[in-house]
Amino acid sequence: MTKTDSARQEDETLLSLSLRQPPANIEAEQALLGALLTNNRAYDRVSDFLAGAHFASQVNGRLYDAIARRIENGQLADPVTLRAELENSGILSDVGGMAYLGKLLTSMVGIINAGDYGRAIHDAWIRRQLIDIGEGVVNNAFGATSDLSGPDQIAAGEEALFRLATEKGQDGGFVVFDRALASAIATAEQAFKNEGHVSGLTSGLRDFDKKTGGLHPSDLLILAGRPAMGKTALATKIAFSAARALMQDAEDKGPGVQPKGAVAIFSLEMSAEQLAARILSEQSEVSSERIRRGDIGQKEFDRFVRVSRELARLPLVIDDTPAISLSAMRTRCRRLKRTKGLSLVVVDYLQLMRPSVGTRPESRVLEISMITQGLKAIAKELEVPVIALSQLSRQVESREDKRPMLSDLRESGSIEQDADAVMFVYRDEYYLQQRMPKETAFDSMDKYSAALDDWQRKMGLVHNKAELILEKQRHGPTGTVHLYFEGEYTRFTDLDTVHEDPRH
């Protein structure tokens, strides 16, 4: 083959590619419309996934929507009842007027086949969307949008594909109130059936679940506290408990059933290994300090190994990328949702995050505002609860009562506004420990002994006790949940203050 022949063949190939028509199945569209006009019950077989926007022919799409409106209003949709609307709107003016309906009736299919034809129409629409997304990716790569870097273009392409995969073309809009009521009733029914009356994902903390109903999809929860209060330990406890509940639910449904979603922890401060060691310490009841030193006996090591095997099965994933950007976090959550499912996101902690790539906030306050708004958007888009840890300002330390308040949140305006719930972890024992009397501060041993006795009495009252202060909750009451804290294992559990009489 000569060079000229090769070039000519290449030109012909490029020409044939450029002349290709987008996927469409006009015959299926016409056959389905004919079936709908003949028997409105065919609509039940396609209504849950098909919309007028999915039709390649604009005329057919508008006709489908007109038919759907009448059927959903409980009215008959046929050539006679539709005549006035179609003539006034001019929908059929470009295809021969009302005679077009006669053509549709002659190409109708049976009601049994309506679902197959609807899926063929929908499949062609998906293919057209993929072509549009692909063209956008190619054009951006060639420099159509010069301010987007390569990684940003990957994120944009993934976002478009994720939206297509999850929404299937169903754009957001008004929800009819009876559907909203049905959803609310379903949630209440789930809470009624579940042990403990928890409608959301369990936190593993009995009293917290009673106050909140568990962790609910689309909610952004802020967990804040001063250093050494146990924010990470508490968030890890909640993440572990949720993952274990997801695994247990899957096992209850039968062997081989996979959990319906994973729990994702974004650990910006601790490494994945450190976080895993903390969970292992808590569950095996071997202190993390002794684990690091190797100061454990054979029995403890055996328990350590057994627990680690059990934990390895949990649907729990850790991303320890430091200073991760909001856009990268969103992309990774979408990918996880698409591949394994996603049930909960934990971020430790939000002040270490960066806003989306390409944004340049003018101040730190605006930057934190963009991050919290982005985390709330992730919660709503992926329909999962997001728990974000937050630092508190130092003004807490200057008060006599060091229990945190909403105003103590760093860059608090947007955090408080965007969050569905704000809670603070507080341990009085930590502060009281620092106020241990010193003998040199007293002029007599009697005074020192009295002060020491009083300090020990107070320490006894707060020893191993913690407070989870629910300062804001959109969907329920606020208040304080009392917890038990074991510093050796950095473990939070329920605090039992009332015990049943064993004689009853």
Short mmCIF file of all heavy atoms in Angstrom, two decimals, residues 350-351 364-366 368-369 372 390-391 393 407-416:
data_model
loop_
_atom_site.label_atom_id
_atom_site.label_comp_id
_atom_site.label_asym_id
_atom_site.label_seq_id
_atom_site.Cartn_x
_atom_site.Cartn_y
_atom_site.Cartn_z
N LEU A 350 -11.21 18.91 60.48
CA LEU A 350 -11.50 19.78 59.33
C LEU A 350 -10.53 20.95 59.19
O LEU A 350 -10.32 21.45 58.09
CB LEU A 350 -12.96 20.24 59.37
CG LEU A 350 -13.44 21.21 60.44
CD1 LEU A 350 -13.14 22.65 60.08
CD2 LEU A 350 -14.94 21.05 60.66
N GLN A 351 -9.91 21.40 60.31
CA GLN A 351 -8.95 22.52 60.18
C GLN A 351 -7.68 22.12 59.43
O GLN A 351 -6.92 22.99 59.00
CB GLN A 351 -8.57 23.07 61.56
CG GLN A 351 -9.57 24.05 62.13
CD GLN A 351 -10.70 23.36 62.88
OE1 GLN A 351 -10.70 22.14 63.01
NE2 GLN A 351 -11.66 24.11 63.38
N ARG A 364 -8.89 32.90 56.39
CA ARG A 364 -9.02 31.57 56.99
C ARG A 364 -10.48 31.27 57.32
O ARG A 364 -10.94 30.14 57.18
CB ARG A 364 -8.16 31.51 58.26
CG ARG A 364 -8.23 30.18 59.01
CD ARG A 364 -7.75 29.02 58.16
NE ARG A 364 -7.71 27.78 58.93
CZ ARG A 364 -7.63 26.58 58.39
NH1 ARG A 364 -7.57 26.45 57.07
NH2 ARG A 364 -7.58 25.52 59.15
N VAL A 365 -11.20 32.28 57.75
CA VAL A 365 -12.62 32.09 58.07
C VAL A 365 -13.39 31.66 56.82
O VAL A 365 -14.21 30.74 56.87
CB VAL A 365 -13.23 33.38 58.66
CG1 VAL A 365 -14.73 33.25 58.83
CG2 VAL A 365 -12.58 33.72 59.99
N LEU A 366 -13.13 32.32 55.69
CA LEU A 366 -13.79 31.97 54.44
C LEU A 366 -13.37 30.57 53.98
O LEU A 366 -14.19 29.81 53.45
CB LEU A 366 -13.45 33.00 53.36
CG LEU A 366 -14.15 32.84 52.00
CD1 LEU A 366 -15.66 32.86 52.18
CD2 LEU A 366 -13.71 33.94 51.04
N ILE A 368 -12.49 27.99 55.94
CA ILE A 368 -13.21 27.02 56.76
C ILE A 368 -14.68 26.95 56.34
O ILE A 368 -15.29 25.88 56.31
CB ILE A 368 -13.10 27.38 58.25
CG1 ILE A 368 -11.66 27.20 58.73
CG2 ILE A 368 -14.04 26.52 59.10
CD1 ILE A 368 -11.15 25.77 58.65
N SER A 369 -15.25 28.11 55.98
CA SER A 369 -16.64 28.15 55.53
C SER A 369 -16.82 27.29 54.26
O SER A 369 -17.78 26.53 54.15
CB SER A 369 -17.05 29.59 55.25
OG SER A 369 -18.36 29.64 54.72
N THR A 372 -16.62 23.51 55.32
CA THR A 372 -17.83 22.98 55.98
C THR A 372 -19.00 22.89 55.00
O THR A 372 -19.78 21.93 55.04
CB THR A 372 -18.22 23.84 57.18
OG1 THR A 372 -18.36 25.21 56.79
CG2 THR A 372 -17.18 23.75 58.27
N SER A 390 -13.37 18.93 65.00
CA SER A 390 -12.94 20.32 64.94
C SER A 390 -12.21 20.70 66.23
O SER A 390 -12.55 20.22 67.31
CB SER A 390 -14.15 21.24 64.75
OG SER A 390 -13.77 22.60 64.81
N GLN A 391 -11.22 21.58 66.08
CA GLN A 391 -10.52 22.12 67.23
C GLN A 391 -11.33 23.26 67.85
O GLN A 391 -12.18 23.85 67.19
CB GLN A 391 -9.14 22.65 66.81
CG GLN A 391 -8.16 21.57 66.42
CD GLN A 391 -7.56 20.84 67.62
OE1 GLN A 391 -8.12 20.87 68.72
NE2 GLN A 391 -6.43 20.20 67.42
N SER A 393 -11.06 26.98 70.18
CA SER A 393 -10.14 28.09 70.46
C SER A 393 -9.64 28.01 71.90
O SER A 393 -10.26 27.37 72.76
CB SER A 393 -10.82 29.43 70.22
OG SER A 393 -11.90 29.60 71.12
N SER A 407 -19.59 29.27 70.72
CA SER A 407 -18.70 30.38 70.37
C SER A 407 -17.23 29.99 70.46
O SER A 407 -16.36 30.73 69.99
CB SER A 407 -18.98 31.58 71.28
OG SER A 407 -18.80 31.22 72.65
N ASP A 408 -16.94 28.83 71.06
CA ASP A 408 -15.55 28.39 71.19
C ASP A 408 -15.02 27.72 69.92
O ASP A 408 -13.82 27.46 69.82
CB ASP A 408 -15.40 27.39 72.35
CG ASP A 408 -15.69 28.05 73.70
OD1 ASP A 408 -15.34 29.23 73.85
OD2 ASP A 408 -16.25 27.38 74.58
N LEU A 409 -15.90 27.42 68.99
CA LEU A 409 -15.46 26.80 67.74
C LEU A 409 -14.55 27.75 66.99
O LEU A 409 -14.86 28.93 66.83
CB LEU A 409 -16.66 26.44 66.85
CG LEU A 409 -17.47 25.21 67.26
CD1 LEU A 409 -18.78 25.19 66.50
CD2 LEU A 409 -16.69 23.94 67.00
N ARG A 410 -13.44 27.23 66.51
CA ARG A 410 -12.55 28.07 65.70
C ARG A 410 -13.26 28.42 64.40
O ARG A 410 -13.83 27.56 63.74
CB ARG A 410 -11.26 27.31 65.39
CG ARG A 410 -10.28 27.28 66.55
CD ARG A 410 -8.96 26.69 66.08
NE ARG A 410 -8.00 26.59 67.18
CZ ARG A 410 -6.83 26.00 67.08
NH1 ARG A 410 -6.46 25.46 65.94
NH2 ARG A 410 -6.02 25.94 68.10
N GLU A 411 -13.18 29.69 64.01
CA GLU A 411 -13.88 30.16 62.80
C GLU A 411 -15.33 29.67 62.86
O GLU A 411 -15.82 29.05 61.93
CB GLU A 411 -13.18 29.67 61.53
CG GLU A 411 -11.74 30.12 61.39
CD GLU A 411 -10.73 29.17 62.02
OE1 GLU A 411 -11.08 28.01 62.24
OE2 GLU A 411 -9.60 29.61 62.29
N SER A 412 -16.00 29.95 64.00
CA SER A 412 -17.23 29.24 64.36
C SER A 412 -18.44 29.57 63.50
O SER A 412 -19.35 28.77 63.41
CB SER A 412 -17.58 29.51 65.83
OG SER A 412 -17.87 30.88 66.02
N GLY A 413 -18.49 30.74 62.89
CA GLY A 413 -19.71 31.16 62.21
C GLY A 413 -20.24 30.13 61.24
O GLY A 413 -21.38 29.68 61.35
N SER A 414 -19.43 29.74 60.28
CA SER A 414 -19.90 28.82 59.24
C SER A 414 -20.04 27.40 59.77
O SER A 414 -20.94 26.66 59.36
CB SER A 414 -18.93 28.83 58.06
OG SER A 414 -17.66 28.38 58.47
N ILE A 415 -19.16 26.99 60.70
CA ILE A 415 -19.25 25.63 61.24
C ILE A 415 -20.59 25.44 61.94
O ILE A 415 -21.31 24.47 61.70
CB ILE A 415 -18.09 25.36 62.22
CG1 ILE A 415 -16.74 25.46 61.50
CG2 ILE A 415 -18.24 23.98 62.86
CD1 ILE A 415 -15.55 25.27 62.42
N GLU A 416 -20.93 26.39 62.79
CA GLU A 416 -22.20 26.31 63.52
C GLU A 416 -23.40 26.37 62.58
O GLU A 416 -24.39 25.68 62.77
CB GLU A 416 -22.25 27.46 64.52
CG GLU A 416 -23.51 27.52 65.35
CD GLU A 416 -23.54 28.73 66.25
OE1 GLU A 416 -22.47 29.33 66.50
OE2 GLU A 416 -24.64 29.09 66.70
#
